[in-house]
Amino acid sequence: MSKAKRYRISTALLHDGTAAWANLGLWATGTPSYAEAAAALADRHWHLAQPAPGSRLLDAGCGYGESLRRWQALDPTVKLTALEVQPGCIEQLVQQGWPTVQGRFDTLPLPAGLPPKQHDTLMCIDAAYHASSLRNFSQFAAQALATGGVLVFSTLLLAPTVSASTRRRLRMAGIPSESQVDEAQLQQALNSAGFKLLELIDLNAEGEGVLAGFSAYATQRARALTLRQRLSPAWWKIAMTGRLCARLSADTGVRYALIKAEYVNSGSFP
């Protein structure tokens, strides 16, 4: 299976609405819909980043562009660029008129069409843990951001006590070992790329959190689908994600973290 295909999620099976969100969502107690939870997770990234009016923002791993539409509604002056690897998403992004670059967020040099040191903010919603390593993701961000630029992303943080079987399940879900980091390894990866860690927030401590909230939603959503839909490979992927989220939420060594860092030093890595 290609990496681009591995990340593909059936938004039609995920929820009934027209919005093409595909993140795990931030589930406040009583959140009535998946689309609201997904938008809430995106909003937390935006409000933590606080992009300045007229600034340049790179949305890395943006999927079908729901987050871009959200950013544009919040501040139409911010200059948005989409970075995505999935061909189907890229086709829709281009049709919608977004400045779009095809490529990954964990390889250098930067993909064609993405000039170095030109962005003030880089946001990555619920996708950075798919990078080949957190160190590679951090170095990519350092090349994309201007000095003083802000990196905001969400990822999993795993304590050393997390079991080998859980880590193996994460690898099967497309989360490489080198992106299964603890807080000290996160700090080291950011520092090595020239970043200063500003904030680290455990979103699982808010309301129903991310992991437990999505797990409960996936169980609820299955009841609304037909047998044929539930037996489809596309739903199997979503259902397995829900089960993994349940396992992770029950493990006190796992945090779903929202991170803000500032790019301060262009000479920290080769």
Side-chain angles (χ1 to χ4, degrees):
M1 180 186 294
S2 71
K3 289 186 176 181
K5 187 175 293 185
R6 170 181 284 179
Y7 307 140
R8 187 183 306 159
I9 295 294
S10 170
T11 58
L13 287 177
L14 192 55
H15 67 113
D16 290 326
T18 57
W21 291 106
N23 66 55
L24 293 176
L26 178 58
W27 300 84
T29 302
T31 300
S33 73
Y34 168 76
E36 289 187 22
L41 183 58
D43 286 351
R44 285 304 305 273
H45 287 68
W46 172 273
H47 292 305
L48 186 61
Q50 296 183 321
S55 62
R56 299 154 298 181
L57 186 154
L58 179 64
D59 193 347
C62 62
Y64 292 101
E66 288 298 333
S67 51
L68 294 165
R69 284 184 281 277
R70 195 80 172 176
W71 310 152
Q72 188 177 60
L74 290 169
D75 187 343
T77 73
V78 172
K79 301 176 179 64
L80 302 170
T81 300
L83 175 67
E84 180 54 55
V85 70
Q86 301 177 77
C89 294
I90 292 163
E91 182 179 352
Q92 289 199 26
L93 290 165
V94 171
Q95 289 176 353
Q96 293 163 13
W98 299 111
T100 302
V101 175
Q102 182 172 7
R104 294 181 58 84
F105 50 60
D106 58 0
T107 58
L108 293 175
L110 297 177
L114 191 63
K117 310 294 184 181
Q118 293 297 306
H119 291 86
D120 305 296
T121 306
L122 190 154
M123 283 204 278
C124 185
I125 304 170
D126 194 36
Y129 46 67
H130 288 304
S132 56
S133 74
L134 191 61
R135 184 176 186 272
N136 289 344
F137 171 77
S138 300
Q139 292 188 355
F140 176 95
Q143 287 296 298
L145 287 168
T147 300
V150 170
L151 170 64
V152 172
F153 66 102
S154 45
T155 194
L156 295 169
L157 292 181
L158 277 61
T161 55
V162 172
S163 69
S165 63
T166 294
R167 294 176 184 273
R168 183 174 63 253
R169 285 177 169 85
L170 288 169
R171 288 195 299 273
M172 293 172 63
I175 301 176
S177 298
E178 292 78 6
S179 285
Q180 298 179 28
V181 299
D182 59 27
E183 187 171 340
Q185 292 168 324
L186 165 73
Q187 181 81 61
Q188 184 179 26
L190 290 171
N191 288 349
S192 70
F195 284 96
K196 177 183 178 182
L197 179 63
L198 300 178
E199 292 192 57
L200 192 159
I201 303 165
D202 182 6
L203 293 182
N204 273 340
E206 301 186 8
E208 296 180 29
V210 174
L211 301 173
F214 183 81
S215 173
Y217 172 73
T219 300
Q220 170 195 327
R221 176 63 178 164
R223 301 189 190 107
L225 300 177
T226 65
L227 177 61
R228 183 174 181 178
Q229 287 173 320
R230 293 197 304 271
L231 293 176
S232 69
W235 174 251
W236 183 85
K237 183 187 294 187
I238 294 170
M240 291 301 101
T241 300
R243 292 180 188 178
L244 179 58
C245 284
R247 182 185 183 97
L248 296 175
S249 67
D251 191 326
T252 57
V254 177
R255 288 181 285 172
Y256 189 97
L258 178 62
I259 294 148
K260 179 179 181 178
E262 180 184 3
Y263 182 56
V264 295
N265 183 357
S266 61
S268 300
F269 60 92

